[in-house]
């Protein structure tokens, strides 16, 4: 496995940069359409079905199929279970429950009726505005395992050694301006000390002394909690030309709200040995990311016969303005390290940080088809192509070298993927039964077990003026988590298995 893959944002080229790595971009590019319970129960295969506010986020031409105005809102109840294991350690389970709103939308239809319908080729020009939830970031997980080969402190050793020529006099204030906050705290907490024979070269205390990493080993553990969501405001127009061609456009204004709080700990497995100057180290990181972007979605639906619809849609990249706020802290037990004046416990917190930057996500292309079964329902499917390696960062001018490094890492880490969504609806009078599935291709070049599968279903009840739809979405996927990266060493990777259940109820009114 390529060593740069899956590393957390624990190091950087300057003390300002924090979480902008190749790992973070996938969080904002790996999306699935969100919207009403009807759309979700069909596996989100809404590229050619139409007459649903979910269409605004997939193929806005579907807005042109509305014949009446409509108001919908969709509360949901979300359950996530994670099972994690790390380097032969025990399996650990965590659960998270969240109530939220998956969608709210308003469609205003100006469809022609009667003589006006017969006179004009443009049967309807409809407008829509809504808010669809495209990704949910609520998650908790933890894992633990033993490591006999390396430590996270090796990362900070390497970072400081790269600046060693400045450190002949161990000038802490100089070091603070040259390395990441974590590396500086490791130095100040006596987790890292200079070698006596060479004041310009640093080593982590466990390696320098009795080396418990290779001799008796360390236990590594992580506890992580994330919250937030990716929501998109959609402003759409859809037109119906002679019931043969539907055209649509959506101005998308997505917002990102993401918070992460994790603690990565290392403990000496031989706690009875108090002469190796290492008892434990707890490194905690908190991050809050806020972003607002803009994109454009263009679509068309062709209706060659009464039973066939063919959809095409293109989504431009989303251009984001992002802001990270962050802080780190470290608590270290260096036992009876003589260089620490006999003090064993050291605690330090970094200054709060703030960083502004830009990001763009990939283009998307969607081809869709629907076969109508008259009053009995329909079958539908979408194919989506997205090249995750085309995601890009743009940093401040002083950090352009790091920008190029991260963008190259993105190209080397990710690849293009194909996503498939299929759905079926059966109808009987006012009732409907729906089933669907979504298969989201693996975005990684080197990691083969990251395909996500959604299994969906739901029920519907519709009258002339009222809508009630229920859906359940069961998502299953694996998530790799490598706690740190070392260029010439193998670092274990945790495997986090996710199973998400999302229950949704859409209430709608037609007028």
């Amino acid at each position: 496995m390529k060593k740069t893959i899956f590393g957390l944002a624990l190091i950087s080229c300057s003390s300002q940069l924090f979480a902008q790595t190749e790992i973070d971009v996938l969080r904002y590019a790996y999306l699935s359409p969100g919207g009403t319970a009807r759309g979700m129960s069909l596996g989100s295969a809404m590229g050619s079905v139409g007459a649903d506010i979910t269409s605004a986020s997939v193929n806005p031409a579907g807005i042109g199929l509305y014949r009446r105005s409509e108001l919908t809102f969709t509360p949901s109840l979300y359950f996530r279970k994670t099972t994690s294991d790390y380097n032969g350690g025990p399996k650990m389970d965590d659960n998270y429950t969240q109530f939220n709103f998956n969608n709210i939308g308003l469609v205003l239809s100006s469809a022609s009726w009667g003589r006006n319908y017969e006179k004009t080729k443009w049967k309807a020009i409809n407008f829509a505005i809504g808010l669809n939830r495209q990704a949910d970031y609520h998650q908790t997980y933890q894992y633990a395992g033993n490591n006999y080969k390396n430590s996270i402190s090796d990362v900070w050793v390497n970072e400081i050694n790269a600046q060693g020529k400045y450190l002949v006099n161990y000038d802490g204030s100089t070091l603070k301006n040259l390395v990441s906050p974590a590396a500086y705290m490791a130095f100040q907490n006596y987790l890292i000390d200079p070698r006596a024979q060479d004041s310009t070269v640093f080593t982590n205390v466990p390696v320098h002394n009795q080396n418990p990493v290779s001799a008796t080993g360390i236990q590594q553990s992580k506890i992580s909690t994330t919250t937030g969501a990716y929501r998109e405001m959609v402003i759409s127009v859809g037109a119906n030309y002679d019931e043969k061609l539907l055209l649509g456009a959506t101005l998308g204004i997505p917002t990102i709200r993401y918070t992460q709080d994790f603690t990565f700990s290392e403990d000496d497995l031989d706690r009875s040995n108090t002469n190796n100057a290492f008892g434990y180290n707890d490194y905690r990181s908190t991050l809050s990311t806020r972003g607002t972007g803009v994109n454009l979605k263009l679509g068309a639906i062709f209706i060659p016969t009464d039973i066939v619809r063919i959809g095409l849609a293109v989504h431009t990249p989303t251009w984001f303005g992002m802001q990270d706020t962050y802080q780190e802290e470290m608590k270290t037990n260096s036992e009876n390290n003589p260089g620490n004046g006999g003090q064993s416990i050291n605690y330090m917190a970094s200054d709060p940080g703030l960083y502004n930057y830009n990001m763009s996500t990939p283009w998307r292309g969607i081809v869709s088809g629907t076969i109508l079964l008259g009053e009995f329902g329909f079958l539908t499917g979408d194919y989506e192509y997205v090249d995750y390696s085309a995601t890009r960062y743009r940093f401040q001018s002083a950090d352009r070298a790091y920008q190029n490094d991260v963008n190259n890492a993105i190209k080397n880490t990710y690849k293009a993927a194909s996503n498939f969504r299929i759905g079926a609806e059966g109808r009987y009078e006012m009732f409907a039964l729906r089933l669907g599935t979504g298969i989201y291709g693996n975005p990684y070049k080197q990691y083969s077990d990251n395909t996500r599968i959604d299994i969906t279903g739901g029920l519907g009840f519709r009258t002339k003026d009222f809508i009630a739809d229920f859906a359940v979405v069961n998502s299953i996927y694996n998530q790799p988590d490598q706690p740190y990266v070392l260029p010439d060493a193998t670092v274990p990777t945790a495997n986090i298995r996710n199973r998400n259940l999302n229950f949704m109820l859409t209430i709608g009114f037609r007028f």
Side-chain angles (χ1 to χ4, degrees), residues 28 137 229-230 254-258 289-292 320 322 359:
Y28 310 123
Y137 302 131
Y230 183 117
T255 57
I256 292 170
R257 298 293 182 266
Y258 175 80
T289 298
R290 300 289 182 266
T292 302
F320 279 105
M322 309 282 283
M359 180 185 69

Side-chain angles (χ1 to χ4, degrees), residues 196-495:
Q197 67 272 27
D198 185 353
S199 61
T200 67
V201 179
F202 283 73
T203 182
N204 52 325
V205 170
V207 172
H208 177 51
N209 290 278
Q210 297 300 319
N211 195 1
V213 174
S214 60
T216 60
I218 55 174
Q219 183 187 66
Q220 297 177 320
S221 61
K222 180 180 177 182
I223 301 174
S224 174
T225 299
T226 60
T227 60
Y230 183 117
R231 299 179 179 90
E232 184 176 54
M233 176 180 287
V234 291
I235 303 171
S236 306
V237 59
N240 182 337
Y241 182 79
D242 203 25
E243 308 291 2
K244 295 295 182 181
L245 175 64
L246 307 173
L247 299 173
T250 291
L251 175 65
I253 306 174
T255 57
I256 292 170
R257 298 293 182 266
Y258 175 80
T259 61
Q260 180 189 56
D261 187 328
F262 75 83
T263 299
F264 186 78
S265 300
E266 294 186 336
D267 292 84
D268 188 359
L269 288 175
D270 186 7
R271 294 301 296 273
S272 63
N273 181 3
T274 60
N275 296 316
N276 58 13
F278 178 73
Y280 63 81
N281 184 60
D282 296 331
Y283 166 69
R284 181 182 179 187
S285 167
T286 58
L287 165 71
S288 177
T289 298
R290 300 289 182 266
T292 302
V294 62
N295 61 53
L296 185 65
K297 300 176 177 67
L298 302 173
I301 297 176
F302 307 93
I303 310 177
T305 71
D306 290 340
I307 63 172
V308 174
R309 295 175 187 166
I310 300 171
L312 297 173
V314 174
H315 298 184
T316 71
T318 300
W319 295 275
F320 279 105
M322 309 282 283
Q323 182 181 86
D324 285 356
T325 56
Y326 53 88
Q327 189 169 24
E328 301 164 271
E329 59 186 63
M330 188 177 295
K331 183 178 181 181
T332 306
N333 180 356
S334 59
E335 296 180 332
N336 60 351
N337 182 356
N340 196 14
Q343 181 178 345
S344 60
I345 307 298
N346 293 273
Y347 170 83
M348 188 174 185
S350 70
D351 298 328
L354 184 148
Y355 193 76
N356 296 305
Y357 58 100
N358 297 312
M359 180 185 69
S360 62
T361 61
W363 288 83
R364 295 172 183 264
I366 302 172
V367 179
S368 312
T370 298
I371 297 176
L372 302 173
L373 306 176
E375 63 181 12
F376 299 106
F378 58 82
L379 303 173
T380 189
D382 293 354
Y383 167 77
E384 180 181 51
Y385 178 87
V386 52
D387 185 0
Y388 295 102
S389 69
T391 310
R392 291 292 181 270
Y393 281 122
R394 186 171 179 83
F395 297 146
Q396 298 171 14
S397 57
D399 301 312
R400 291 296 164 79
Y402 181 60
Q403 169 189 298
N404 295 335
D405 290 342
V406 177
N407 286 338
N408 287 332
I410 291 171
K411 289 190 291 184
N412 293 330
T413 301
Y414 302 115
K415 64 178 183 178
S418 295
N419 302 326
F420 300 90
R421 299 185 287 264
I422 58 175
E425 178 178 283
R427 290 196 295 261
Y428 178 73
E429 295 182 349
M430 295 181 293
F431 301 94
L433 173 66
R434 305 181 183 108
L435 296 172
T437 188
I439 302 173
Y440 293 85
N442 175 28
Y444 295 104
K445 285 184 176 180
Q446 302 292 330
Y447 188 73
S448 60
D449 189 20
N450 202 61
T451 298
R452 193 186 95 206
I453 299 175
D454 293 350
I455 301 171
T456 67
L459 301 171
F461 174 79
R462 297 188 171 220
T463 67
K464 179 181 177 181
D465 301 317
F466 178 73
I467 298 169
D469 292 318
F470 171 79
V472 58
V473 178
N474 182 23
S475 298
I476 303 170
Y477 64 97
N478 290 339
Q479 172 188 345
D481 184 10
Q482 191 177 53
Y484 53 92
V485 174
L486 291 170
D488 299 313
T490 299
V491 177
T493 298
N495 186 35

